[in-house]
Amino acid sequence: MAALFTGKVLMDNREKDEVETERELGRALENKVLLLYFGSGQCPRCRQFSLLLKDFFLRLTDEFYVERASQLVLVYVSRDETEEQQSAFLKTMPKRWLALPFGDAFKRELELRFAVSEVPAVVVLKPNGEVIVGNAVEEIQRIGPACFRNWQEAAELVDRNFLLAEDFDNQTRRSITDPIRRLKYKLEKTTEEKNKEKKEEGEESS
């Protein structure tokens, strides 16, 4: 997914820092479902939908609602008229959101690429950049956070947290059973040596 933004700059809504290097973009976007949210803080329909989208996003990523965040990232593509309007809008949105810098010409390229003609619009993408849903606004309104499961399956994400937990579980099992196996081996070896000694003593006496 970072390939879509290669050579581009994204803004981190938490610290207002730029996320621009290939490594930073990869860490922020890889193995996640990406939402491109085209909207404006001045548009009445966008304002109404943004509140719903904020709740939708928080219920999938905030530790208050979930034990671990879903593999989901959102990039806000602004149609605000001024940078101040964009900044004011983002201050009311989740800190995990990323945003295209105000006035970035790449916005027009994204609108053309994904055929965005009106806002609000939410384009749902796989990690490789393929489109899952061209505009998920109605789906989000109708189903809510439950629709993420469908996107997750379509994106064929690798659940790294699960794999790490599985590896840890296997390692824990090995750490518990290894001493038992070593003790069993030691006892078997000792018995074998004693039997060998008895056999040799018997041969010498005969």
Side-chain angles (χ1 to χ4, degrees):
M1 181 56 67
L4 179 63
F5 294 98
T6 299
K8 309 300 179 183
V9 173
L10 293 176
M11 303 301 296
D12 188 330
N13 197 35
R14 280 176 285 194
E15 304 294 339
K16 299 297 183 293
D17 289 335
E18 295 181 352
V19 181
E20 57 181 347
T21 69
E22 188 173 341
R23 183 178 179 183
E24 288 175 326
L25 285 171
R27 189 166 58 246
L29 304 176
E30 69 178 354
N31 194 40
K32 295 177 183 177
V33 171
L34 171 64
L35 306 184
L36 294 179
Y37 176 40
F38 297 83
S40 167
Q42 310 308 305
C43 161
R45 285 188 304 168
C46 292
R47 285 202 301 270
Q48 185 177 5
F49 176 72
S50 293
L51 294 175
L52 180 66
L53 184 61
K54 175 182 179 179
D55 182 71
F56 171 89
F57 188 85
L58 288 175
R59 287 182 181 277
L60 288 167
T61 61
D62 193 281
E63 61 183 10
F64 181 80
Y65 297 101
V66 290
E67 190 172 332
R68 56 187 171 90
S70 299
Q71 292 162 284
L72 179 70
V73 63
L74 184 147
V75 176
Y76 176 61
V77 185
S78 168
R79 278 198 177 179
D80 294 300
E81 296 179 359
T82 67
E83 187 173 3
E84 288 73 21
Q85 288 177 354
Q86 176 176 319
S87 297
F89 170 74
L90 286 172
K91 285 179 181 178
T92 66
M93 292 297 113
K95 295 185 181 298
R96 289 177 182 267
W97 281 20
L98 299 173
L100 202 64
F102 180 81
D104 195 315
F106 188 50
K107 178 192 79 167
R108 184 57 182 160
E109 187 177 330
L110 290 173
E111 289 175 339
L112 292 173
R113 179 169 181 171
F114 299 110
V116 176
S117 57
E118 60 180 24
V119 293
V122 177
V123 180
V124 185
L125 302 174
K126 295 181 181 181
N128 63 6
E130 293 181 13
V131 177
I132 299 175
V133 183
N135 189 353
V137 169
E138 183 181 341
E139 186 177 357
I140 292 171
Q141 290 173 328
R142 183 166 44 88
I143 306 177
C147 61
F148 175 73
R149 183 180 295 276
N150 298 330
W151 303 344
Q152 188 176 30
E153 291 176 358
E156 299 178 341
L157 300 180
V158 177
D159 192 339
R160 292 183 175 178
N161 289 327
F162 174 78
L163 292 176
L164 286 171
E166 188 178 54
D167 290 342
F168 176 78
D169 191 40
N170 290 337
Q171 185 178 1
T172 303
R173 287 198 200 101
R174 286 197 298 271
S175 65
I176 293 172
T177 58
D178 277 353
I180 298 173
R181 284 199 296 269
R182 285 196 297 269
L183 178 60
K184 182 180 178 182
Y185 172 75
K186 187 175 180 180
L187 290 172
E188 288 176 349
K189 189 174 181 181
T190 303
T191 304
E192 185 180 336
E193 289 175 350
K194 286 183 177 180
N195 290 337
K196 187 178 179 180
E197 290 175 359
K198 287 180 179 179
K199 186 178 179 180
E200 289 176 352
E201 289 175 359
E203 290 175 353
E204 288 177 357
S205 61
S206 60

